[in-house]
Amino acid sequence: MSTIRDISFRSVVRPLRVVFATAQGKKRLMQSIIVRVVLTDGSTGLGECPTSISLNRESTDVVCSMLHEMKQQFQGIPIQHYEPVIRRFRTEYSEYPMTISGIEVALFRAGLAYKKLTEHAYWGGKSRVVQSDITIPFVTDRSFLEHWIRYASQREFKVYKLKVSGNIEHDKKVLSEVHYMLRKAVEEFTLCLDGNEGYSKEAFCRFVDYIQENNIKIEFFEQPLARNDYQGLKEIKELSPFPIILDETVISSSDAQRVAEEGIAHGVNIKIAKSGIGESAAILAIAKKHKLKMMIGCMTESMIGLSAAVYLAAGTDVFDYIDLDSVFLLYHKNRFGNLSLRGPCFEIQP
């Protein structure tokens, strides 16, 4: 039985191709902490703790401080026994979900390496190709929008997720311009919206009226209202002509259970970067049981963290919507381990 010998971590900062702008703010850099777990038999695993506009409590300094505290409780324990500690951390350090997820992924991967099992096989190995959408940040600069859509269309992206702000007049303008540009640049495309909690119920209804009046087809609308506005979300779910998918509202399996039991939304966005391995699997099981639509998403991550979601998406092959585009916002290589990138697709090599 192999035990945990060492946990180390380092900071990574990389420029983004574009300013990542949402209803909650802007960022120009990817800033993450990479976690490395080493077992006594030499098996290793890497995880990533990203930083986020929506979870701004977890700065890189705070993440490092939390990891220093957490690592002491893992030293010397058998790798098979890490999961109860992670579950305890989810309760004790609930305000730091991405930090816990980063160390959990590293431990999970070290355990798989010890068992000589791949992530793809662990999740079921059902598909070897995952096709992602690409995000269009909330930017009102027309020249930027044209440049970004041209970049994405040349790489054969078919699904586009537009960030909107909750400012109705701004959102109308940007949506109209983006829709027009996509019609010119892409023969067939799918358009989705992400409100990042920026809307009120009234503003959402007014925006939906505008969308319908202008015959703009929307695949889904992600997190239009504040994460804890359960009554408002439930009400707009009944009014919406397209699915409402929740991101910020759902981090834990108990969050997903509430969404399912109370009929708060049509679906959930599962992010390993926030929910880790165990909770992501539990959220997935709840979504399947209650026939919720399933989306898989990411934070602003490098391939170290993003690959965990790619393997989950490919291995299970159950997701309705795939939003794993963080690497496309970076200056990236087209190969990472047994993953290769071709246009909007991740391909898993045998």
Side-chain angles (χ1 to χ4, degrees):
M1 182 180 294
S2 193
T3 60
I4 300 167
R5 189 177 76 199
D6 184 51
I7 299 176
S8 59
F9 38 93
R10 60 184 173 86
S11 175
V12 173
V13 180
R14 294 173 63 186
L16 297 176
R17 284 181 179 271
V18 296
V19 175
F20 186 75
T22 75
Q24 297 173 333
K26 299 179 180 179
K27 63 189 301 183
R28 291 174 171 81
L29 297 171
M30 182 212 82
Q31 296 177 286
S32 292
I33 303 298
I34 306 302
V35 184
R36 184 171 186 261
V37 169
V38 181
L39 307 184
T40 49
D41 76 316
S43 299
T44 63
L46 293 176
E48 181 170 358
C49 308
T51 54
S52 168
I53 298 167
S54 65
L55 294 168
N56 55 22
R57 182 185 296 271
E58 293 182 88
S59 66
T60 52
D61 287 343
V62 169
V63 170
C64 288
S65 176
M66 294 303 301
L67 288 172
H68 271 297
E69 186 173 336
M70 292 176 182
K71 68 178 285 187
Q72 306 305 321
Q73 300 187 52
F74 285 110
Q75 298 289 157
I77 71 170
I79 188 60
Q80 291 91 333
H81 298 165
Y82 80 83
E83 292 180 30
V85 182
I86 289 292
R87 286 195 292 271
R88 175 163 56 82
F89 284 170
R90 292 278 175 201
T91 300
E92 292 180 3
Y93 305 114
S94 60
E95 295 177 329
Y96 308 99
M98 296 188 298
T99 306
I100 298 168
S101 296
I103 196 169
E104 181 184 5
V105 169
L107 290 160
F108 167 72
R109 286 173 161 172
L112 290 182
Y114 171 67
K115 297 174 184 176
K116 296 181 169 49
L117 182 65
T118 68
E119 285 177 80
H120 185 236
Y122 175 87
W123 292 115
K126 292 185 178 178
S127 173
R128 290 194 173 274
V129 179
V130 173
Q131 182 168 329
S132 178
D133 66 7
I134 193 163
T135 296
I136 303 175
F138 180 75
V139 178
T140 54
D141 183 334
R142 185 180 178 89
S143 62
F144 164 80
L145 291 171
E146 289 176 338
H147 166 77
W148 188 241
I149 288 171
R150 184 166 57 251
Y151 164 81
S153 64
Q154 287 172 351
R155 283 153 184 78
E156 301 183 340
F157 280 90
K158 300 298 183 186
V159 183
Y160 295 80
K161 189 177 81 165
L162 174 63
K163 297 284 189 178
V164 287
S165 67
N167 182 316
I168 298 298
E169 296 310 312
H170 285 178
D171 290 349
K172 287 179 182 178
K173 181 176 184 292
V174 171
L175 175 58
S176 294
E177 290 185 345
V178 165
H179 188 251
Y180 174 75
M181 293 174 191
L182 286 171
R183 288 177 64 188
K184 286 178 61 180
V186 187
E187 188 172 338
E188 292 185 15
F189 65 89
T190 298
L191 182 59
C192 318
L193 299 175
D194 186 357
N196 288 111
E197 306 182 82
Y199 278 78
S200 65
K201 178 188 170 184
E202 179 188 6
F204 174 82
C205 292
R206 286 170 53 205
F207 194 40
V208 168
D209 288 343
Y210 175 82
I211 291 168
Q212 292 186 302
E213 287 166 5
N214 287 271
N215 297 313
I216 299 174
K217 185 178 178 182
I218 300 299
E219 183 76 5
F220 65 80
F221 202 129
E222 185 180 354
Q223 197 70 50
L225 309 189
R227 65 191 73 186
N228 295 327
D229 187 1
Y230 302 110
Q231 185 58 37
L233 287 165
K234 188 173 182 179
E235 289 173 4
I236 66 166
K237 176 203 170 189
E238 300 305 320
L239 299 170
S240 178
F242 30 73
I244 302 299
I245 308 298
L246 298 185
D247 174 1
E248 285 88 348
T249 297
V250 178
I251 294 180
S252 68
S253 55
S254 59
D255 295 333
Q257 192 68 39
R258 179 172 184 175
V259 168
E261 290 179 351
E262 297 182 20
I264 293 170
H266 299 98
V268 295
N269 186 356
I270 299 172
K271 293 184 174 180
I272 286 182
K274 292 194 303 185
S275 304
I277 300 299
E279 284 295 282
S280 291
I283 294 168
L284 184 61
I286 291 166
K288 284 182 178 179
K289 178 181 177 181
H290 293 273
K291 296 181 171 53
L292 295 174
K293 288 189 176 294
M294 292 177 283
M295 178 176 179
I296 187 163
C298 59
M299 309 303 280
T300 313
E301 307 164 63
S302 73
M303 279 299 294
I304 290 173
L306 185 68
S307 56
V310 173
Y311 289 125
L312 171 58
T316 59
D317 196 26
V318 295
F319 289 93
D320 301 289
Y321 313 120
I322 296 175
D323 180 33
L324 300 179
D325 66 337
S326 64
V327 68
F328 301 110
L329 304 180
L330 301 169
Y331 297 93
H332 62 84
K333 297 178 181 178
N334 289 328
R335 187 94 184 181
F336 180 82
N338 71 335
L339 286 175
S340 60
L341 280 69
R342 182 175 54 81
C345 296
F346 299 91
E347 298 180 348
I348 302 173
Q349 307 303 319

